[in-house]
Amino acid sequence: TVTAAGSEGFRSPLNEYGFTSPPPARGSVAAAATTATSSASASASRSGRSEPVQTPAPIRTAAPVETPAAASGTFSPTEPDAEVVEHLGQNLDEVSISTGSASASAAASALVAGDYYGFGHDGSYRPYHDALLRFLRARSDLDVKSTLLDEEAELDRQDAAAAAAAVTATGTATAAAGTAMQEYQQEESGTITRQRTRLANDAQTSELSLLSALSVAAASRRTLSFDDSSSASTTDINNTTAAAAAAAAARPSSNRSSGDDQATNNARNESNVWLLLRSLRTLGVHGLLYDSSPTHLAGQRTAASQRVYDVAKAGVDSPPAEVVENYLEGRIRDERDDDNNDDDDNDDADVVPMIVARRVELLKWAEECMAQRVGPVPASQIGGSGISAAVSYLGKPLGGAAAAASSSFGFGGGADAGASSPRAVMDDPSDLALLQACLVRLKAGPSQWSAALDLCRSSGQPWRAASLAGGLPYGRITPETSDDADLGEEKKEEGPVEFGNPDRALWKRTAWAMSRAIAGSASSPAASKASELEGAIYALLSDDTETGLANPSLRSWEDGLLIHLRSMVGRYVDEVLAAHNDVRRTVGVRYPYRGTEHGPYEREQLTSTSSIATLHEADIFRALGASPYKQVRDEASDPFRAAIAAFVTGSHEASAFVTRTANDASASSHSMLRFITHLAIYLDFAVPGFLPSLGDMASNGDDDGLPVREYYLLRYIELLTSDRGLWHLAALYTSLLPQPMLVDVFSQFLTCVHDDGFRRRVLRQMRDFFDDGVDLVVLRKTVRMMIFEGGEDRFGYPFLNLIRGGKQKKFGHRAARLDEMLSPSDICKMHSVRWLCYVPEHAPDALVCANLLLRELILKSKTDVVGDGEETDPALHCARVFLTRFLPSDTVKNASRQAAVEVEGAGKDQEGVLTVDEVEDASAEYGALEAYVDARVAYDRWRSVITSVSPECATPGASMASGSVEARIANKMRARSMASGSVETRIANKMERRNFIHQKRRIGLQVSDAANEARAKLMAVLTYEGGWLANPGIVSQESVVDEDEQTTRVQEMAGLRTSCLPCTVFLLHKVLHGTAEWMEVFLEDAERAYGEEGESMLSEIFGDRDVAAGPGYLYRSCLDIAKTVASDEFNLQESFNREHMQQFVGLMAEANVNLLRSTQEIPR
């Protein structure tokens, strides 16, 4: 079994292999293609076309990844959870994994289990991965539909052209009809145009879904201590103790460190960035990446001013609230499409300038961020007897986690509101709670502000609700259009329902004065906390930017941004209402309109906020960065707030932020790197070509530099691949790289992936995420890297577990001793070839790489001095283990079958795969190398047998020398007793002889079988069909195998012939000569025991075997080797050098002498 530290099992639900979204992207896209094809075909049939609709090339659905069959049934993963891993791999499509973040306690459980891949702390990364995966699948679906739509449009154009040609040929059409036909031919049909619009909307919807999912992923994650650490090493991450993780999860929020609070703020701020991008993307691409150049800004301001007077003039009889609504809400046109927009100028009156629409959307976003932290209003009243409820609510001003009254009301931290100040004790707790609730809800937007006013009324302070609600413009709601379900029948009969404040200008100037008065008294010792909160409320309601920024209750970066945005939108509202009243005053001289009598107050308000009219978003963030308050300045330096500032300002600043962050130290944190990588990915999809290249980060000498997206992807992939717990997320991000970079990066990563189950998982991802054929290109490079550069693993993979547990009964304990000689590097190299054994399409390359490894191992094996066999030759043992326990036995058959299938399917050799000729050459080479390894193993077995089996048996007379006087006397006495002895004596002698023959047969057949096997396999090498490695093939530039590798192969095959063939000849001679000498001793032992009768026993012992002829037959076989070497059919003599040939001639002379000695006859 495997220890916990090295276990490959996946015992926890967190460790399931599988996609979080429903499986194969290719299958989903193929289904979408089928649907789109059906709709296109139906459209074609309706139009009367007879031509079939052409569909794009079929998208390959990933074939099932199979576990390679063991070569001889001996390969068996020894990990205890291997079957579980295999089950998960086979049933991947049925596995549904939650996209939620993993809790610290679950991570602690995974760490306790000791899982090798360290799953359990991917909760901060998995939701990002899943969101991106869903987006990419949706984009793939849309691309397929767009392709089919293009084909549909092309068929329409072809039909129009054919009709025009037919009309021209008949000569029955007029010139006008021909012109109309040409116009029809150039324009698309209305159906296709609507479908294109629908696809564009679907594409935008997919982007918005991605941004929403990323926002949720950032906000909902629970960051572990190592998640956002910029200095934590991989070893520290993987060795985090379960106790520490559990303690971090169980620690109360009140006892958490500042690091925990910072992580929470980072998560919230990142979520706000994604929400910002989503809000801006609803305005179009130009709303997302706004042109902030001075010329464009001047034009936008002019358009906004012109629209003020146009809307005011057009709505002279409309209530002010309706006029404001018409100004702020209207049709938004993406200015990037202005060149293609042929609308007449009258339509521009309905177009809201992008600067106005964008600022309105920014204000909604800021209020939405504030609203996320607002909790439910307590059921009990805050005033009067509800003081206890007020105190409780005051302890939780945001309705969420417990916080003091001094807690911030921003979306990422805030200033000390001063509740702990001595003057706070003078305030009524109920008033403090009420004002604090009102301030929080005022910042959270209109819906929450209505709840705050209701809270004032229910708390016994309706006067406060009335004084705070005066900023709503006056308007009317008719019963037919009213959404108020509380309107009774009586009110509906009375007529329109009025709302808002017709004296809004007067109220706003009063609120302005109150905020200034409260701010002037704030320095007084008698000033209370309640007045401070009230001053902050009136500053926001009156758009008093200066007073609001100075208020201690609004002293945070987010509050400052909200104040400026409210003032900008409030300035637009004031301008529209003032212009509307100016028009009304002009036309309503005799009968003035209601609310037009406050002209001086309107002009006074516009004068007070004149600086806001020329304020740009960049000015806001410069002011916040130069704030006199340290906290605001510190918050402005936060990288996520810097991202908000960049995208709020404009496209140039956004591009500069993404590029600048590459050199920023803040990007070294895991959370920031994760954020900026997904940001770059999204921007590259949304606006191709927007992101620049990093000129100072040139890659491979490229003058253009490395594109920003690729730069961040490489860093993020490096982060994912440096932590085993994140490995399963790397394939998706790698698929976004250009193919050359993808192959280099992912093949380097795969050299560290060794678990059989996880390999199947990664391979399935490669076949789903990568383009067709790229998975094979990656695996080719991966296997070669592991073979050439040597296998290594910095994660401590237990390689020896791959060979432990295999029952080698034939070798017993010797096999275990031999396995101990294998290094982890050797095992890694052998195991690397199995990368190509999971899918049938990879079988030809598996064969080529197997030959590559076998050539390397055989070249390292000993050939000059063959001593104790595999005990002194680790390379030879490694080759045998590779063939018998790592490489599937049907590799050659699968490779040949796959090559035939590819040719049959394509009609010719396909590009990117091995040709049939190459597969045949590889098969012949593999057979030759396998034959040599088998021959060496057979020789090793013969050597082991002949050195361990004695040719002599313990019998009467065995201790006497053959031919001695004592031996002859003993043999004569035994013969006389056999002839004249009693029955019992004769029976005893026969049994003794039978036992002797049985013992001799046992040892003789054992040696004979080993010798015959070794002889046959050694001769198989020498007489290999076509010559052993005699046809290396030619170097081809069109082959998928590298040209240098082909050249090296030819050289290695020539070297193998030079070293291995003479060695094989000498080993064959050694087998025959050694067996003959053993047989001589074997025969002498029989003659000692039974005299002349012993020689005749050979036929009884060996039957009709060749060795029954005696040692002479074996010596004669030694001489027959010369005929094989001299044969031109096998070209063996070309492999012998001068020294080898002299040695061979000497052996033949010795064999001739031995033959003469043993047979006393001269061979012909």
Side-chain angles (χ1 to χ4, degrees):
T1 59
V2 187
T3 59
S7 174
E8 290 291 337
F10 297 87
R11 305 177 179 85
S12 169
L14 298 172
N15 302 334
E16 293 179 0
Y17 285 140
F19 296 116
T20 52
S21 299
R26 287 175 182 162
S28 302
V29 174
T34 303
T35 303
T37 305
S38 301
S39 61
S41 302
S43 177
S45 62
R46 287 193 299 270
S47 62
R49 284 198 302 268
S50 60
E51 295 85 3
V53 177
Q54 298 179 357
T55 60
I59 300 175
R60 176 171 64 88
T61 302
V65 181
E66 302 174 353
T67 303
S72 58
T74 58
F75 183 89
S76 175
T78 57
E79 290 77 9
D81 294 327
E83 295 181 358
V84 177
V85 174
E86 182 176 358
H87 173 75
L88 291 174
Q90 294 175 351
N91 298 278
L92 184 61
D93 295 351
E94 302 176 3
V95 176
S96 176
I97 299 179
S98 173
T99 59
S101 60
S103 64
S105 59
S109 301
L111 293 173
V112 170
D115 293 331
Y116 171 75
Y117 285 102
F119 285 95
H121 61 276
D122 66 339
S124 300
Y125 298 84
R126 190 62 173 268
Y128 291 82
H129 173 277
D130 298 340
L132 181 59
L133 178 59
R134 289 190 294 269
F135 171 73
L136 293 177
R137 285 175 173 168
R139 289 291 297 245
S140 178
D141 187 3
L142 293 175
D143 289 343
V144 172
K145 294 179 180 179
S146 178
T147 301
L148 295 175
L149 196 59
D150 291 339
E151 294 178 358
E152 180 82 6
E154 180 62 27
L155 290 175
D156 284 344
R157 285 190 288 269
Q158 292 176 4
D159 288 348
V167 170
T168 304
T170 57
T172 60
T174 62
T179 303
M181 187 64 67
Q182 292 178 358
E183 293 178 356
Y184 172 77
Q185 178 180 353
Q186 295 175 356
E187 296 179 358
E188 293 183 347
S189 65
T191 301
I192 293 181
T193 302
R194 288 191 295 271
Q195 291 179 358
R196 291 194 186 280
T197 303
R198 189 179 301 112
L199 286 179
N201 294 335
D202 292 343
Q204 181 177 2
T205 301
S206 66
E207 293 183 28
L208 298 180
S209 299
L210 171 65
L211 295 173
S212 298
L214 292 175
S215 175
V216 172
S220 63
R221 75 171 190 259
R222 293 185 179 182
T223 307
L224 295 180
S225 59
F226 48 74
D227 176 44
D228 295 324
S229 173
S230 60
S231 59
S233 64
T234 303
T235 304
D236 296 334
I237 293 175
N238 293 326
N239 292 336
T240 302
T241 62
R251 189 166 59 247
S253 59
S254 59
N255 296 333
R256 291 183 181 177
S257 64
S258 59
D260 296 330
D261 295 336
Q262 181 62 35
T264 302
N265 287 334
N266 286 340
R268 185 166 53 249
N269 292 337
E270 181 185 346
S271 175
N272 292 332
V273 178
W274 297 120
L275 285 178
L276 171 64
L277 297 180
R278 186 187 187 283
S279 298
L280 296 179
R281 184 61 182 90
T282 58
L283 304 177
V285 175
H286 184 67
L288 175 65
L289 301 173
Y290 185 67
D291 185 0
S292 57
S293 62
T295 304
H296 184 265
L297 287 177
Q300 285 287 296
R301 290 194 179 105
T302 301
S305 300
Q306 182 62 39
R307 179 170 170 77
V308 168
Y309 294 101
D310 292 342
V311 172
K313 184 177 179 180
V316 62
D317 292 327
S318 300
E322 183 178 343
V323 175
V324 171
E325 182 179 0
N326 291 337
Y327 178 81
L328 298 179
E329 300 180 4
R331 186 167 60 89
I332 301 173
R333 186 174 65 199
D334 193 341
E335 297 181 12
R336 294 181 183 270
D337 299 331
D338 282 349
D339 295 339
N340 301 325
N341 195 323
D342 297 331
D343 295 343
D344 52 19
D345 295 338
N346 294 331
D347 292 341
D348 291 340
D350 296 334
V351 176
V352 179
M354 182 59 70
I355 189 172
V356 177
R358 201 167 183 270
R359 288 176 175 176
V360 171
E361 194 65 32
L362 287 173
L363 178 58
K364 293 179 180 179
W365 160 77
E367 292 173 342
E368 180 184 1
C369 294
M370 293 290 187
Q372 291 177 356
R373 302 192 65 195
V374 177
V377 178
S380 60
Q381 296 181 351
I382 290 184
S385 60
I387 293 181
S388 60
V391 175
S392 174
Y393 187 67
L394 182 62
K396 298 181 180 180
L398 304 180
S406 60
S407 296
S408 63
F409 312 118
F411 39 130
D416 185 359
S420 59
S421 173
R423 60 182 178 165
V425 298
M426 300 183 296
D427 297 321
D428 184 359
S430 61
D431 287 340
L432 278 179
L434 180 61
L435 290 172
Q436 190 169 358
C438 290
L439 177 58
V440 171
R441 281 158 175 75
L442 173 60
K443 293 190 294 183
S447 60
Q448 291 292 335
W449 179 235
S450 300
L453 298 179
D454 293 340
L455 182 61
C456 291
R457 298 185 187 98
S458 63
S459 300
Q461 298 186 14
W463 57 269
R464 187 182 296 278
S467 66
L468 297 179
L472 185 65
Y474 172 75
R476 294 187 297 271
I477 300 178
T478 60
E480 291 77 15
T481 60
S482 175
D483 294 331
D484 191 351
D486 296 333
L487 291 177
E489 294 295 334
E490 297 180 357
K491 290 187 177 181
K492 291 183 180 180
E493 295 177 357
E494 293 176 359
V497 178
E498 298 182 350
F499 66 91
N501 184 7
D503 303 317
R504 178 180 180 277
L506 175 60
W507 174 89
K508 196 163 187 178
R509 291 309 301 166
T510 303
W512 181 288
M514 291 180 63
S515 68
R516 291 296 176 105
I518 295 174
S521 62
S523 59
S524 172
S528 65
K529 176 63 180 177
S531 62
E532 177 186 303
L533 294 172
E534 191 171 16
I537 293 174
Y538 281 114
L540 289 174
L541 293 175
S542 62
D543 299 331
D544 189 352
T545 304
E546 180 181 354
T547 305
L549 293 176
N551 192 292
S553 296
L554 299 175
R555 200 166 293 172
S556 71
W557 187 89
E558 286 78 10
D559 289 336
L561 176 58
L562 179 66
I563 291 171
H564 283 96
L565 293 176
R566 284 184 59 92
S567 299
M568 286 180 168
V569 177
R571 170 75 185 189
Y572 288 136
V573 175
D574 292 341
E575 289 179 351
V576 171
L577 293 178
H580 184 244
N581 286 333
D582 286 341
V583 175
R584 282 187 161 192
R585 280 189 286 266
T586 301
V587 301
V589 177
R590 182 181 298 272
Y591 302 103
Y593 287 89
R594 182 181 181 182
T596 58
E597 63 272 19
H598 302 298
Y601 296 111
E602 294 171 356
R603 290 187 290 273
E604 183 179 353
Q605 178 67 17
L606 292 177
T607 302
S608 300
T609 59
S610 58
S611 60
I612 300 297
T614 58
L615 188 68
H616 181 243
E617 284 78 357
D619 302 329
I620 298 176
F621 300 108
R622 279 195 292 268
L624 293 177
S627 172
Y629 308 110
K630 182 178 183 300
Q631 178 176 348
V632 178
R633 295 195 303 271
D634 293 342
E635 292 175 348
S637 62
D638 177 77
F640 294 108
R641 293 185 175 96
I644 293 175
F647 282 94
V648 169
T649 302
S651 60
H652 177 74
E653 290 74 9
S655 175
F657 165 78
V658 176
T659 307
R660 182 177 62 252
T661 308
N663 294 323
D664 193 348
S666 62
S668 60
S669 69
H670 294 179
S671 61
M672 188 60 188
L673 178 58
R674 180 177 54 233
F675 160 73
I676 197 67
T677 301
H678 288 84
L679 176 61
I681 293 173
Y682 167 70
L683 291 177
D684 190 70
F685 274 107
V687 191
F690 168 71
L691 295 177
S693 298
L694 302 177
D696 56 341
M697 299 182 182
S699 174
N700 300 326
D702 188 0
D703 295 335
D704 295 335
L706 191 64
V708 169
R709 190 191 74 155
E710 276 70 17
Y711 170 76
Y712 286 119
L713 276 173
L714 288 175
R715 290 189 57 186
Y716 192 63
I717 294 169
E718 181 183 5
L719 170 63
L720 296 178
T721 55
S722 65
D723 186 346
R724 292 192 301 266
L726 305 177
W727 280 4
H728 57 297
L729 308 178
L732 178 64
Y733 297 94
T734 310
S735 67
L736 301 177
L737 293 173
Q739 181 169 331
M741 193 179 297
L742 181 154
V743 173
D744 291 339
V745 171
F746 210 67
S747 58
Q748 183 67 43
F749 159 62
L750 292 184
T751 59
C752 297
V753 179
H754 308 293
D755 174 68
D756 197 63
F758 193 78
R759 281 186 173 184
R760 293 195 300 272
R761 151 82 160 141
V762 174
L763 181 56
R764 185 177 292 105
Q765 289 182 331
M766 293 167 62
R767 293 171 65 80
D768 286 341
F769 298 154
F770 296 175
D771 293 337
D772 289 350
V774 177
D775 57 326
L776 180 56
V777 177
V778 171
L779 294 180
R780 284 172 180 161
K781 184 167 185 178
T782 299
V783 176
R784 284 166 172 81
M785 288 174 62
M786 299 176 74
I787 292 176
F788 292 146
E789 301 175 5
E792 60 175 326
D793 177 62
R794 61 182 184 275
F795 298 97
Y797 183 81
F799 286 106
L800 294 179
N801 291 336
L802 293 174
I803 59 175
R804 288 176 183 166
K807 297 181 179 179
Q808 305 293 324
K809 297 180 179 179
K810 188 175 294 185
F811 294 96
H813 297 289
R814 178 171 177 269
R817 294 196 305 270
L818 293 174
D819 289 345
E820 293 177 357
M821 298 190 306
L822 297 176
S823 66
S825 177
D826 294 333
I827 302 175
C828 183
K829 289 181 180 181
M830 293 187 290
H831 194 48
S832 66
V833 181
R834 290 180 65 87
W835 266 119
L836 297 166
C837 298
Y838 299 112
V839 179
E841 292 92 327
H842 300 168
D845 288 273
L847 187 61
V848 171
C849 291
N851 292 340
L852 182 64
L853 179 58
L854 286 174
R855 289 198 305 270
E856 176 184 330
L857 295 174
I858 295 175
L859 283 172
K860 291 181 179 179
S861 64
K862 296 180 179 180
T863 55
D864 295 335
V865 179
V866 179
D868 295 333
E870 294 183 46
E871 280 86 350
T872 59
D873 198 344
L876 178 62
H877 176 66
C878 188
R880 182 182 68 80
V881 171
F882 173 66
L883 288 173
T884 57
R885 298 160 68 182
F886 280 89
L887 191 67
S889 58
D890 57 353
T891 300
V892 176
K893 181 175 64 176
N894 290 337
S896 301
R897 183 189 300 116
Q898 183 62 31
V901 168
E902 291 174 352
V903 173
E904 181 181 356
K908 60 179 181 179
D909 291 334
Q910 297 181 356
E911 296 182 358
V913 298
L914 294 168
T915 64
V916 175
D917 293 338
E918 289 176 320
V919 174
E920 290 178 352
D921 291 343
S923 299
E925 179 187 355
Y926 175 81
L929 297 174
E930 184 182 31
Y932 177 78
V933 174
D934 289 345
R936 289 291 301 270
V937 173
Y939 169 79
D940 186 30
R941 188 177 297 112
W942 168 83
R943 184 196 56 79
S944 176
V945 170
I946 205 169
T947 55
S948 61
V949 177
S950 173
E952 298 178 347
C953 295
T955 59
S959 60
M960 304 177 188
S962 178
S964 63
V965 177
E966 294 82 356
R968 289 196 299 271
I969 295 173
N971 292 332
K972 289 180 179 180
M973 291 178 64
R974 185 181 302 109
R976 188 179 299 111
S977 64
M978 288 285 292
S980 60
S982 63
V983 177
E984 291 82 359
T985 302
R986 289 197 300 271
I987 292 175
N989 291 333
K990 287 181 180 181
M991 293 182 62
E992 179 183 339
R993 186 177 184 277
R994 186 181 299 112
N995 290 337
F996 179 78
I997 293 176
H998 177 74
Q999 294 181 29
K1000 298 296 277 188
R1001 180 183 294 114
R1002 179 179 57 80
I1003 61 176
L1005 292 179
Q1006 188 175 355
V1007 172
S1008 174
D1009 291 342
N1012 288 337
E1013 180 187 9
R1015 177 187 179 183
K1017 292 189 175 182
L1018 290 169
M1019 282 298 296
V1021 174
L1022 299 178
T1023 60
Y1024 194 81
E1025 183 179 0
W1028 191 79
L1029 299 182
N1031 300 309
I1034 60 175
V1035 177
S1036 174
Q1037 296 180 350
E1038 299 178 355
S1039 174
V1040 296
V1041 181
D1042 185 73
E1043 190 173 345
D1044 293 338
E1045 182 179 332
Q1046 296 182 65
T1047 304
T1048 303
R1049 172 178 176 265
V1050 173
Q1051 296 172 354
E1052 290 179 348
M1053 292 175 69
L1056 288 172
R1057 282 183 58 85
T1058 303
S1059 60
C1060 295
L1061 288 179
C1063 175
T1064 304
V1065 170
F1066 298 147
L1067 293 180
L1068 178 58
H1069 175 271
K1070 187 176 293 186
V1071 169
L1072 296 174
H1073 184 269
T1075 305
E1077 291 182 339
W1078 189 90
M1079 290 297 297
E1080 288 182 349
V1081 179
F1082 180 87
L1083 184 57
E1084 292 176 358
D1085 180 59
E1087 291 177 350
R1088 275 198 306 270
Y1090 292 94
E1092 297 177 357
E1093 185 183 0
E1095 185 174 357
S1096 62
M1097 286 183 181
L1098 290 179
S1099 60
E1100 293 186 59
I1101 295 174
F1102 296 105
D1104 57 352
R1105 295 174 180 258
D1106 295 336
V1107 293
Y1113 168 78
L1114 297 173
Y1115 287 127
R1116 187 177 295 107
S1117 298
C1118 288
L1119 292 176
D1120 292 339
I1121 299 177
K1123 298 179 182 180
T1124 305
V1125 174
S1127 174
D1128 294 335
E1129 180 181 359
F1130 310 112
N1131 296 325
L1132 298 178
Q1133 65 276 9
E1134 297 179 358
S1135 302
F1136 283 73
N1137 56 28
R1138 184 180 182 85
E1139 182 181 352
H1140 289 156
M1141 189 57 69
Q1142 290 177 353
Q1143 183 180 355
F1144 177 69
V1145 171
L1147 293 176
M1148 292 300 99
E1150 181 183 358
N1152 195 17
V1153 172
N1154 290 331
L1155 178 60
L1156 291 174
R1157 177 179 54 79
S1158 62
T1159 62
Q1160 300 296 322
E1161 59 183 55
I1162 301 176
R1164 296 180 181 179

